[in-house]
Amino acid sequence: MAHREEPWHSLLAGATAGAVEGFVTYPTEFVKTSSQFGGQKQKPLDIVRTTIQTKGITGLYSGAGALIIGNAAKAGVRFLTYDTLKSLLADREGKVTAPRSLAAGLGAGIMESIFAVTPSETIKTKLIHDSKSPNPRYHGLIHGTRMIIAEEGIRGIYRGLFPVMMRQGANSAVRFTTYTTLKQFVQGNTRPGQQLPSSITFAIGGTAGLVTVYTTMPLDVIKTRMQSLDARTQYRNSFHCAYRTFTEEGILRFWTGTTPRLLRLVISGGVTFSVYERVVGFLRAHS
């Protein structure tokens, strides 16, 4: 029977993996988010060039604090929920079928959306949007968060909850199912109990990230627009946002920001699962 993960192992390993991944990949997230706002369309390299010229290299880390903290929280919640649901849905040998892995991933995505992703993503998106204006109003994570709550209330940091739940549910369902399926296939050709090399884990995680990007990109675009500074005046709800984007800009606009998000999620998948597996292995050996 496969090893059943201790809840605190999943939480700590997931949080560590999320924090490391968030820091490493944040510049790609900044470029992706910047490219999805309404208005003039910019190429990723143009965004990087303009940001560095006007704000310096640190400009690519505008809003990073919110995402790194949120990433640690969401990854902890995600892995804790997924491992818990997976153990409940596994067969006697500890293996999980693709449909059951999909259900566990969907549940993990919804939980992380409510408890971690929506607040951190909303704050991050508003900070990035504000940083692009001639006279930014927010001076860092804490000041920006205080101002958003003061002006919009607690609902201000939960704006876009529905598209976030849809995106994260789909993200986790696709990513965990792809990762688990590939990992079980590879482990079927290794000795029982043998830990996979980091290079193999990274490759499997990267592949899971690749599949995730193309299947969930439209939800990501809607999420970004619903969390922008002018969302309250532009869109009535997520469906109205999707309708306006489609009718005014065409269907391909839903895949805007694919390149930086693809780069981020491929690296993200590799880093997250590699760090997670290593931290879990360390905790098992020392507990």
Side-chain angles (χ1 to χ4, degrees), residues 119-141:
S120 67
E121 288 266 337
T122 303
I123 294 167
K124 175 216 69 177
T125 300
K126 289 180 184 294
L127 289 176
I128 291 177
H129 202 176
D130 180 68
S131 73
K132 293 169 69 66
S133 64
N135 300 299
R137 299 173 58 235
Y138 305 145
H139 307 296
L141 172 61

Side-chain angles (χ1 to χ4, degrees), residues 54-224:
T54 58
K55 311 277 187 180
I57 193 70
T58 56
L60 294 175
Y61 275 87
S62 295
L67 185 126
I68 292 172
I69 294 171
N71 234 40
K74 79 176 183 182
V77 172
R78 177 196 305 153
F79 278 99
L80 172 61
T81 305
Y82 180 75
D83 285 342
T84 300
L85 293 176
K86 186 178 72 170
S87 66
L88 294 173
L89 297 172
D91 59 23
R92 291 186 177 183
E93 296 180 356
K95 292 185 178 181
V96 186
T97 61
R100 291 187 177 192
S101 179
L102 204 66
L106 182 63
I110 291 174
M111 291 295 285
E112 68 178 280
S113 299
I114 297 171
F115 292 105
V117 181
T118 304
S120 67
E121 288 266 337
T122 303
I123 294 167
K124 175 216 69 177
T125 300
K126 289 180 184 294
L127 289 176
I128 291 177
H129 202 176
D130 180 68
S131 73
K132 293 169 69 66
S133 64
N135 300 299
R137 299 173 58 235
Y138 305 145
H139 307 296
L141 172 61
I142 297 175
H143 178 257
T145 302
R146 280 208 315 263
M147 282 195 66
I148 292 168
I149 294 176
E151 295 173 357
E152 303 181 42
I154 198 68
R155 291 181 61 185
I157 61 172
Y158 267 91
R159 193 167 300 282
L161 175 61
F162 179 73
V164 171
M165 287 177 64
M166 293 300 97
R167 188 198 67 168
Q168 291 306 123
N171 271 359
S172 292
V174 173
R175 182 185 282 196
F176 275 119
T177 301
T178 304
Y179 180 79
T180 301
T181 301
L182 291 176
K183 181 182 176 184
Q184 288 181 168
F185 174 77
V186 173
Q187 286 181 323
N189 298 299
T190 61
R191 296 193 311 273
Q194 179 183 354
Q195 186 171 15
L196 297 178
S198 294
S199 58
I200 299 297
T201 303
F202 190 97
I204 296 174
T207 302
L210 175 68
V211 174
T212 302
V213 169
Y214 285 102
T215 54
T216 64
M217 198 66 210
L219 295 171
D220 191 68
V221 171
I222 295 170
K223 182 276 304 178
T224 295

Side-chain angles (χ1 to χ4, degrees), residues 7 21 32 41 57 70 104 106 115 168 262 287:
E21 179 269 324
K32 185 270 297 181
K41 187 176 180 181
I57 193 70
L106 182 63
F115 292 105
Q168 291 306 123
L262 179 62
S287 62

Side-chain angles (χ1 to χ4, degrees), residues 8-10 12-13 278-287:
W8 73 274
H9 286 185
S10 299
L12 181 57
R278 289 298 156 188
V279 174
V280 161
F282 175 82
L283 293 174
R284 286 177 185 168
H286 292 80
S287 62

